[in-house]
Amino acid sequence: MARNQSTAAKRARQKQREQGGKHTELLRDEQQSPVQRLATALEAAGHTAEAQRLWDRLKPDPEWEAAKAAYERAYRAHEAAETAGATGHVLDRLRRAEEDAGEEMGVLATYEFRAEPIVCAAVLTGLAHAGRFDGSPCLRPAADVLAWHAKTALVWADGIRCPMPIIDHLWGPNRPGPAAARAAYRALAAATRLPFKGDEEWTACGELIEESAALARAGCQ
């Protein structure tokens, strides 16, 4: 075995020791992003439609990518002109070009915002599966996605409060993993149902996201 292994390689080796399987396939899974791992796990669990929605969300939006690139070019041109000491009409023109590109990017940024309910719904599906079945492949990737969004929970709180399918009575084995997954599911489901009224609901939503992430993480231990 190589002495200096990447974190992904070490995790793949550990999974191979604990669960068996091919190291190359396990390594590929570890090298995926959390959302990609969740999509892969949902496919393995039979939730192919939810997985496909996630894969579609991961595809780059051409308009968004073009707008980002245009803004970066305009920003660099404006910055270079200021550094070079440009003044007058030249600097005004470059500043206006940067502002226009920024506005266009801001309009198209709603693409990213619209994607958040898709990710949240996939996490809920993964937690529901993990709550029903001990040893579900969905628990850890769902926990990883939650952990990522819990870092900026108040940002995610603006993207997930919308109608989505919720299971009101989720049952499963009385084992630590499934029990934690069900508790995480309930917390995240409650977060999606909070209304857009003010800072109190916004803060409460963020706290529920963090709680859901902590519960899901505990279920993986």
Side-chain angles (χ1 to χ4, degrees):
M1 186 187 304
R3 293 179 64 184
N4 297 317
Q5 289 187 310
S6 67
T7 301
K10 290 176 182 176
R11 287 178 178 171
R13 288 289 182 191
Q14 183 180 354
K15 279 188 178 181
Q16 188 179 36
R17 287 194 297 270
E18 294 174 353
Q19 305 171 13
K22 294 182 179 180
H23 177 69
T24 51
E25 293 179 359
L26 293 170
L27 179 59
R28 178 203 62 196
D29 292 343
E30 286 297 327
Q31 289 173 330
Q32 291 181 318
S33 72
V35 175
Q36 288 173 323
R37 289 199 297 275
L38 179 57
T40 299
L42 289 171
E43 284 177 338
H47 295 285
T48 53
E50 198 69 67
Q52 188 57 53
R53 278 191 286 272
L54 263 192
W55 288 123
D56 290 342
R57 178 256 181 272
L58 289 166
K59 294 176 183 176
D61 180 276
E63 282 189 291
W64 165 247
E65 295 299 328
K68 279 200 302 182
Y71 174 75
E72 288 165 4
R73 287 193 301 271
Y75 172 82
R76 286 195 297 269
H78 183 199
E79 187 177 44
E82 283 188 328
T83 302
T87 58
H89 294 302
V90 173
L91 200 59
D92 288 342
R93 178 174 55 80
L94 291 170
R95 183 171 55 249
R96 285 196 300 272
E98 181 188 348
E99 290 172 353
D100 291 345
E103 288 179 6
E104 179 66 16
M105 189 175 67
V107 170
L108 291 172
T110 54
Y111 164 74
E112 293 292 318
F113 186 78
R114 289 195 305 270
E116 297 312 330
I118 298 172
V119 176
C120 184
V123 171
L124 285 168
T125 301
L127 290 174
H129 188 274
R132 291 192 184 104
F133 304 102
D134 196 13
S136 167
C138 299
L139 179 54
R140 184 169 293 280
D144 288 344
V145 174
L146 274 171
W148 174 259
H149 285 292
K151 295 176 183 177
T152 53
L154 290 177
V155 176
W156 214 40
D158 279 337
I160 67 168
R161 283 183 285 170
C162 58
M164 59 181 68
I166 298 295
I167 303 170
D168 289 319
H169 302 289
L170 184 61
W171 306 99
N174 190 24
R175 300 277 298 165
R182 292 193 296 274
Y185 181 95
R186 288 192 291 270
L188 186 57
T192 68
R193 287 173 161 172
L194 286 171
F196 282 92
K197 284 187 176 179
D199 288 349
E200 186 176 342
E201 288 78 13
W202 181 46
T203 302
C205 185
E207 289 172 350
L208 283 167
I209 292 169
E210 292 171 347
E211 179 185 345
S212 180
L215 289 164
R217 184 167 60 250
C220 297
Q221 297 174 355

